[in-house]
Amino acid sequence: MTIDNFENIVSLLCTITGLLYCVFKYVESPKFGYRLLLIYFLASFLSEYYWTIYSLTMGSYPNVSEFTAYLGWNIGYLILLIASYYIRPDEAKNTLHPLVFLPALVNVPQFLLYIQYGGILNNIWQVGTTTLTMIFCLQSIIYFYKGKTTTTEFPLFSVLVLIYLVLQYIMWTVSCYSWDGELSNPYLYCSILGAVTSIFFTYGVLRFYKIKDHGILTGSASELRFQVLVQTIISLVIIGICIIGLFIAFWVKKSLTNQNGVFKNEEQLIVCLFVISAVLIFLVLLLLNYFTTRYHSMIRSKKIINDLKRSKFSFYFTIIVTLTLMAFAVVYNNIGLYSASVISVYEDGDEAIKSTATELENYMTVASTTMRVAADSVSLMDKNGSSLEDIRNYLVDQTKIQAEQFDENFTGLYAYMNGEYLDGLMWVPPEGYDPTSRDWYKAVVEGQGETVIVPPYVDAQTGAVVITIGKNISYGESLPEGQLPNVVCLDVMVNHIEEIAKSVSIAGKGYGMVVNTDGFIVAHQDVSINGRNLKELYDHELLDTVLATRQGRTTAKIDGKECTLFIYPVMNQWYTIIVISNDELWDNTYSQLAVNIMVSVITFCLITFFYYIGYKNEILYGKKVEEMNIQVVSALATAIDAKDTYTNGHSSRVAEYAKMIAERAGLSQAEQDDIYMMGLLHDVGKIGIPDEVINKPSRLTAEEYKVIQRHPVIGSGILKSIKENPKLATGARWHHERYGGGGYPDGISGEDIPVEARIIAVADAYDAMTSRRSYRGIMPQEKVRSEIKLGMGTQFDPRFARVMLQMIDEDKSYTMREK
C-alpha cells in the first residue's frame, strides 16, 4: 500500500466515522446544526468515496474534470460556512475586531499562489467560502475571550472548524512545492489531522446545544430503544453499501480488462462509483427522513410501540439482518472458494497435460535421435562403398541393440537404398511390394533431409498402429538418372504412448488421447479407438476446436455432455488432450460449495433457534414483569382506596369498566391495557389529601372541596416521573374534566381532553353511582342509566357514554356494581 492510498483510506474512514456519529446525534435530536453537518459529511463522502475506491482499484487517481473531482468537497465547504454562521452565540455575530479580518489578509496571497496550479473558478470558490468561514469562527472565539464570564462556554465547534481549515490551507500550500519524499511532505500529516479533526465537529455542535438548551432531556427506555434501532439500521446501510461498492469496483475493473491486462473504459468505473455514492446519500437521507418523522410523530401522539410489538420487531429485524449478513458472507466465501477451486482445477489440468506432452516429446526425441544416428551411419557406409549386404547387417544389428537397450517398442530399422528395400527384422516383402509407393517413403522424401515423423498408420507386417520416423539421406546429393532417394526409417509401436494416454487424468478424472493434425487418434484410453479418426467418431468441429486452440483450455460438447479440453502440442505434429466432463470436473467444487452452504444454513438455524428461545424468554419475562407491575399497581390502588372508607375496590372497578369501554369503542389491545393501568392509578393523588377530608361523613365545605380538587394535580405529578409510560399521568390529571367544560383542574373541554381521560371519566362516574356512600346506598340501575344519559355532551363524551349505556342495558342482573 502506498502512502497516498493510506492517506485516502484514513480520510474516507474518518468521513464515515463522522457521518455515523452525526447520524446518531441527529436521530436523538434532529436539530438544524446536526442536519447541516449531516449534509457536510454526505457531500464529503461523495468525493472521498469514489476517489479512494478508484485509487485502490486502479492504483492511480481518476482522470476527471476539476468540477467533478472537487464537487463533494466544494459543497462541504459551503455547508461549513453556513454551519459556522448559525452554530455560535447570537451576540458573537455582532463582534468586530481587527483580528476577525486576518483570514482575508492571509488568504489573498495564498489565492494568488493557488491559481498558478489550479482552475481559477475552483480556487475562487474554495478560498472564498473558507475565508468567510474562518471569519465567522474568529468572531465566536474573540467574543468568548472578550466577554468571558462564568456562564460563557468555550466555542468548541468554531475552534474545530478553524483548525480544520488552517490544516486545509497548509495542505494546499505545500502541494504547490516539490518534496524529497512522501514522508517528508507535510501534506500527509495535515490531511490525516484534518480528517480526524472533522470527526469531532458533531461533538462541537452537541456542546453548543447543551449550553443553549441547558442540558438535554433523556427520553424513556422505549424512545432510547427506538433510537438505537434506527441508528443500527442506518449504520448497516452505510457500512454495507461502502463494502458492496468496493467489490463492485473490482468486479467492474475485472469485467472491463482485456486479456492483455489493459483496462478499457475508465469512465464506466467512475460513473459506477459516483452512482454508488449518490445511492448511499439518497438512502441515508430517505431513511433519516422516514424514521425521524415517524419517531417524532409517535412521540407527539404518545404512541410508542409497546414492549411486545417492539420485541417481535427486534426479533424479526435481527433475524433478517443476520440472514442478510450470513447470505452475503456465504456468497462472498463461496465466490472465493469457487474461484480458488477453479484456479486449482485449471492449474492441475494444465500441469497434467503439460507433463504428459513433455513425457511424449522426450520419448519421441529419443526415438528420433536413435533413427538419426542410424541414418547418418548408413549414409557414411554408403559413401565409403559398403555393400547393401553390409548395410542390411548393420540395420539388423542396430535393431536388436535398440530393442534391448532403448525400448522394445522400437520395432526395427529399415532402409530403401539404391533401389532395394533393406529390413532390420529380416522381413521379406511379398512379391510386388513397392516401398516407394508407401506413404512413409513419400513423407520422408518430402522432408528434404530433416527428421520426419510420419502420420501413424497400420503396419503391413504386424497389423499394429505404428509411427515411422525417417530421414532422406540423399537430400542435397546428385543421384544417377532413374534412381530414387535413399531413406532410413525407424518404426515405433504406440504401446508406450498408449500407456501414457491411459494414465493421464486430473485427480483420477477424465481421459487422455493423442491425435495428429489430421485427426488420426495415435493413442486413446480406450484402445479400441486407436487408429480411428476424430472426424468419424465425433465431428469436424472437435478437430477444428483442437487445431484452433493448439495450447490451453477450451470447451466442447462430446457425447451430449459439456466437456473441458486441456490441449498441449507435441513436436508441432501431435496434440495431447485430456477430456473431462464439466460435471466430473467441478464435482468436488460443487460438493465443497454445498457443504459450505449447508454449514451456513445450519449455523443460521441454530442462531435463529437460540435467539428464538431468548425471544420467547424475553416475552415470558416481559409478561411476568407486566403481571408484577399490575399486581404492584393494584396493591397501590387498593392502598389508595383504603384511605377512603367508602371507596374500597373503587380503582380496580373503574379500571375494569374503562377497559370494557375501550374495547367496545375499538381501541387496540395496547391502548386497552394502558387505560386499565390509568384506571387503577387515576386516584393516586388522594395520597396527598388529608384523611379527615377524604373520610368526612358530612358534606364538604368549599375549602375542603378545593383540597379534594387538588388530587388530580398531585396524582399527575407523581405519575409523570415514570418515563417508561408517561401516559399514566393522563388519567390521573384529567379524569374530572367535563366534556362540555367546567371541570377541573385545567378546565379543558371536548377533544382537548385526552381520550383515555374521557373514558375513565365515564367509568369513574358510573362506579361512584353504583357504590355505597356514607350518605346513600347503591343507586338503582335505571337511575344510574338516566344520569349517564343526562350527562352526554355536558359531563361525558357522547361516544363513550353511549357505550356505557349499552353495557348497562346488557347487564340485566345488575352485576356491575359494588358487591
Side-chain angles (χ1 to χ4, degrees):
M1 179 184 293
T2 65
I3 297 296
D4 284 344
N5 281 344
F6 174 76
E7 180 256 322
N8 289 331
I9 291 172
V10 171
S11 297
L12 177 60
L13 290 177
C14 288
T15 300
I16 294 173
T17 304
L19 175 61
L20 290 174
Y21 186 23
C22 189
V23 165
F24 280 26
K25 304 317 295 182
Y26 181 77
V27 169
E28 293 173 6
S29 179
K31 294 183 178 293
F32 182 65
Y34 294 133
R35 193 175 301 125
L36 285 174
L37 279 189
L38 194 61
I39 298 172
Y40 164 77
F41 281 115
L42 289 173
S44 298
F45 178 85
L46 180 66
S47 288
E48 290 283 1
Y49 186 76
Y50 97 87
W51 192 272
T52 301
I53 300 302
Y54 185 94
S55 62
L56 285 176
T57 306
M58 301 300 299
S60 62
Y61 289 136
N63 183 21
V64 294
S65 67
E66 192 174 72
F67 173 80
T68 304
Y70 296 103
L71 176 62
W73 290 311
N74 284 341
I75 294 174
Y77 293 135
L78 176 62
I79 300 303
L80 271 188
L81 170 63
I82 299 171
S84 63
Y85 178 79
Y86 282 101
I87 304 173
R88 56 180 181 159
D90 292 333
E91 297 83 357
K93 297 174 183 178
N94 299 320
T95 300
L96 289 177
H97 190 277
L99 287 177
V100 168
F101 302 103
L102 181 62
L105 297 174
V106 174
N107 293 347
V108 168
Q110 299 291 96
F111 170 74
L112 296 175
L113 172 66
Y114 301 155
I115 58 174
Q116 300 177 43
Y117 300 93
I120 186 167
L121 292 178
N122 183 64
N123 279 300
I124 289 174
W125 178 272
Q126 291 185 348
V127 174
T129 53
T130 53
T131 299
L132 286 174
T133 304
M134 295 170 84
I135 288 173
F136 293 152
C137 292
L138 280 174
Q139 276 187 313
S140 298
I141 296 169
I142 291 171
Y143 167 75
F144 169 74
Y145 283 106
K146 281 182 67 179
K148 188 172 183 181
T149 64
T150 54
T151 58
T152 306
E153 283 291 336
F154 184 71
L156 181 60
F157 177 74
S158 297
V159 171
L160 289 170
V161 172
L162 185 62
I163 292 172
Y164 172 77
L165 292 179
V166 168
L167 290 170
Q168 293 290 301
Y169 270 92
I170 296 174
M171 289 165 50
W172 297 338
T173 302
V174 299
S175 64
C176 298
Y177 301 96
S178 58
W179 299 85
D180 293 336
E182 291 180 326
L183 292 177
S184 63
N185 191 342
Y187 186 97
L188 169 67
Y189 308 105
C190 291
S191 176
I192 293 174
L193 286 174
V196 173
T197 301
S198 68
I199 296 175
F200 296 96
F201 286 172
T202 304
Y203 181 72
V205 176
L206 173 66
R207 294 297 307 166
F208 173 77
Y209 282 124
K210 276 190 175 181
I211 298 162
K212 189 174 180 180
D213 298 342
H214 306 292
I216 294 178
L217 295 175
T218 56
S220 67
S222 298
E223 295 173 31
L224 293 175
R225 279 192 288 266
F226 189 84
Q227 290 170 4
V228 170
L229 178 63
V230 174
Q231 292 164 347
T232 303
I233 292 174
I234 296 177
S235 299
L236 289 174
V237 169
I238 293 172
I239 296 171
I241 291 182
C242 288
I243 295 173
I244 292 171
L246 179 62
F247 287 110
I248 291 176
F250 279 103
W251 176 78
V252 170
K253 179 189 176 184
K254 184 178 180 180
S255 302
L256 298 178
T257 302
N258 61 25
Q259 295 180 345
N260 297 323
V262 178
F263 187 65
K264 302 180 210 173
N265 198 330
E266 180 183 2
E267 289 184 4
Q268 289 190 18
L269 181 58
I270 295 172
V271 170
C272 173
L273 293 174
F274 251 104
V275 169
I276 291 170
S277 303
V279 167
L280 176 64
I281 292 169
F282 174 76
L283 283 177
V284 169
L285 292 176
L286 188 67
L287 288 171
L288 278 174
N289 179 68
Y290 172 76
F291 282 117
T292 52
T293 302
R294 181 172 176 79
Y295 169 61
H296 290 285
S297 173
M298 291 165 61
I299 293 295
R300 285 193 299 270
S301 60
K302 300 184 182 295
K303 290 183 179 178
I304 296 296
I305 305 171
N306 64 57
D307 289 338
L308 181 61
K309 287 185 178 179
R310 184 172 55 251
S311 296
K312 185 180 291 186
F313 178 81
S314 298
F315 171 71
Y316 287 119
F317 174 75
T318 304
I319 293 302
I320 291 171
V321 169
T322 304
L323 178 61
T324 303
L325 293 176
M326 186 163 286
F328 175 78
V330 168
V331 171
Y332 175 72
N333 288 335
N334 282 352
I335 289 174
L337 176 62
Y338 180 77
S339 299
S341 298
V342 168
I343 292 172
S344 176
V345 168
Y346 282 159
E347 285 179 348
D348 290 345
D350 292 339
E351 182 62 31
I353 195 67
K354 185 177 180 180
S355 61
T356 301
T358 301
E359 184 178 357
L360 278 174
E361 191 150 336
N362 290 339
Y363 181 73
M364 295 306 296
T365 299
V366 171
S368 298
T369 302
T370 300
M371 183 282 306
R372 193 163 50 250
V373 170
D376 292 343
S377 298
V378 169
S379 177
L380 185 61
M381 292 174 68
D382 182 52
K383 289 177 181 178
N384 291 334
S386 298
S387 65
L388 291 177
E389 187 63 27
D390 291 338
I391 293 174
R392 177 184 286 110
N393 292 334
Y394 171 76
L395 292 175
V396 170
D397 292 340
Q398 287 301 311
T399 297
K400 292 179 181 178
I401 292 171
Q402 289 165 9
E404 293 172 357
Q405 296 184 3
F406 290 98
D407 193 302
E408 62 183 6
N409 294 308
F410 295 175
T411 55
L413 286 163
Y414 54 93
Y416 179 79
M417 295 293 298
N418 301 326
E420 187 173 341
Y421 176 77
L422 309 175
D423 195 286
L425 289 174
M426 303 297 291
W427 176 68
V428 179
E431 187 175 348
Y433 177 77
D434 181 10
T436 61
S437 64
R438 305 290 290 181
D439 289 340
W440 57 265
Y441 180 83
K442 295 176 182 178
V444 172
V445 170
E446 291 173 359
Q448 300 180 349
E450 297 295 328
T451 300
V452 175
I453 299 178
V454 179
Y457 61 94
V458 179
D459 183 56
Q461 179 182 356
T462 63
V465 176
V466 298
I467 302 163
T468 296
I469 304 173
K471 182 179 180 181
N472 179 1
I473 60 175
S474 298
Y475 182 74
E477 299 178 3
S478 59
L479 298 174
E481 187 177 350
Q483 182 178 332
L484 296 176
N486 297 328
V487 300
V488 177
C489 299
L490 170 67
D491 278 351
V492 179
M493 295 184 67
V494 298
N495 293 357
H496 182 68
I497 300 174
E498 285 176 355
E499 290 174 3
I500 294 174
K502 287 179 182 178
S503 64
V504 66
S505 65
I506 302 173
K509 298 175 182 178
Y511 60 89
M513 68 173 83
V514 180
V515 301
N516 73 352
T517 53
D518 296 326
F520 186 93
I521 300 175
V522 179
H524 194 284
Q525 191 179 60
D526 183 357
V527 294
S528 64
I529 296 177
N530 290 349
R532 300 177 67 179
N533 200 289
L534 283 179
K535 299 176 185 177
E536 71 175 87
L537 286 175
Y538 305 106
D539 52 39
H540 288 276
E541 289 185 4
L542 182 59
L543 179 60
D544 293 341
T545 299
V546 172
L547 295 177
T549 305
R550 284 191 54 79
Q551 179 177 328
R553 294 183 300 272
T554 189
T555 57
K557 201 163 189 176
I558 300 177
D559 297 331
K561 295 180 179 179
E562 289 293 334
C563 298
T564 297
L565 278 61
F566 295 86
I567 303 169
Y568 207 92
V570 177
M571 302 183 77
N572 294 321
Q573 298 189 50
W574 293 353
Y575 294 99
T576 53
I577 305 171
I578 298 177
V579 180
I580 182 169
S581 69
N582 288 348
D583 291 340
E584 191 177 16
L585 182 66
W586 307 120
D587 181 51
N588 287 342
T589 301
Y590 293 149
S591 297
Q592 291 174 9
L593 294 178
V595 169
N596 195 21
I597 292 172
M598 285 301 299
V599 169
S600 299
V601 169
I602 292 171
T603 302
F604 174 74
C605 290
L606 289 174
I607 291 173
T608 303
F609 172 74
F610 287 117
Y611 192 78
Y612 178 75
I613 296 297
Y615 161 70
K616 296 301 288 185
N617 288 336
E618 181 184 354
I619 296 299
L620 182 61
Y621 176 75
K623 287 183 177 179
K624 288 181 178 179
V625 170
E626 187 176 349
E627 291 172 1
M628 187 182 299
N629 289 341
I630 293 174
Q631 291 171 5
V632 171
V633 172
S634 297
L636 179 58
T638 302
I640 295 165
D641 291 344
K643 267 182 79 77
D644 191 338
T645 308
Y646 300 100
T647 58
N648 185 33
H650 168 69
S651 296
S652 59
R653 289 194 299 273
V654 169
E656 289 290 345
Y657 300 152
K659 186 175 182 180
M660 292 166 67
I661 294 171
E663 181 181 5
R664 288 171 178 251
L667 274 66
S668 68
Q669 184 62 50
E671 290 171 319
Q672 294 174 40
D673 293 339
D674 284 343
I675 287 174
Y676 182 80
M677 295 289 283
M678 292 180 206
L680 285 174
L681 296 170
H682 76 285
D683 274 342
V684 70
K686 287 184 177 179
I687 291 176
I689 306 301
D691 292 350
E692 58 270 20
V693 175
I694 292 177
N695 295 312
K696 185 177 180 180
S698 58
R699 185 177 294 274
L700 297 176
T701 64
E703 202 57 43
E704 290 170 334
Y705 190 64
K706 286 183 180 179
V707 173
I708 279 289
Q709 286 182 323
R710 284 165 41 203
H711 83 272
V713 177
I714 297 171
S716 67
I718 294 171
L719 298 177
K720 72 179 181 182
S721 61
I722 303 175
K723 292 189 178 295
E724 183 60 27
N725 194 349
K727 292 190 293 182
L728 282 178
T730 301
R733 185 174 185 90
W734 292 299
H735 69 280
H736 281 298
E737 297 288 355
R738 296 173 65 88
Y739 191 77
Y744 64 90
D746 299 317
I748 57 178
S749 61
E751 299 296 320
D752 291 337
I753 306 171
V755 64
E756 298 91 349
R758 282 180 268 149
I759 291 174
I760 292 173
V762 176
D764 186 43
Y766 176 82
D767 187 69
M769 291 185 284
T770 57
S771 301
R772 296 177 182 85
R773 291 292 183 267
S774 60
Y775 50 88
R776 63 161 174 81
I778 297 173
M779 293 174 63
Q781 190 179 38
E782 192 57 37
K783 175 66 173 173
V784 173
R785 191 185 191 284
S786 65
E787 290 292 331
I788 295 292
K789 187 174 183 180
L790 185 65
M792 290 174 62
T794 54
Q795 183 176 355
F796 310 123
D797 184 334
R799 173 189 173 193
F800 302 122
R802 278 192 290 271
V803 173
M804 190 73 246
L805 291 176
Q806 183 184 3
M807 291 167 56
I808 292 171
D809 292 340
E810 293 173 2
D811 185 20
K812 304 295 184 182
S813 303
Y814 198 15
T815 56
M816 292 194 306
R817 61 175 185 167
E818 183 184 4
K819 299 297 186 277

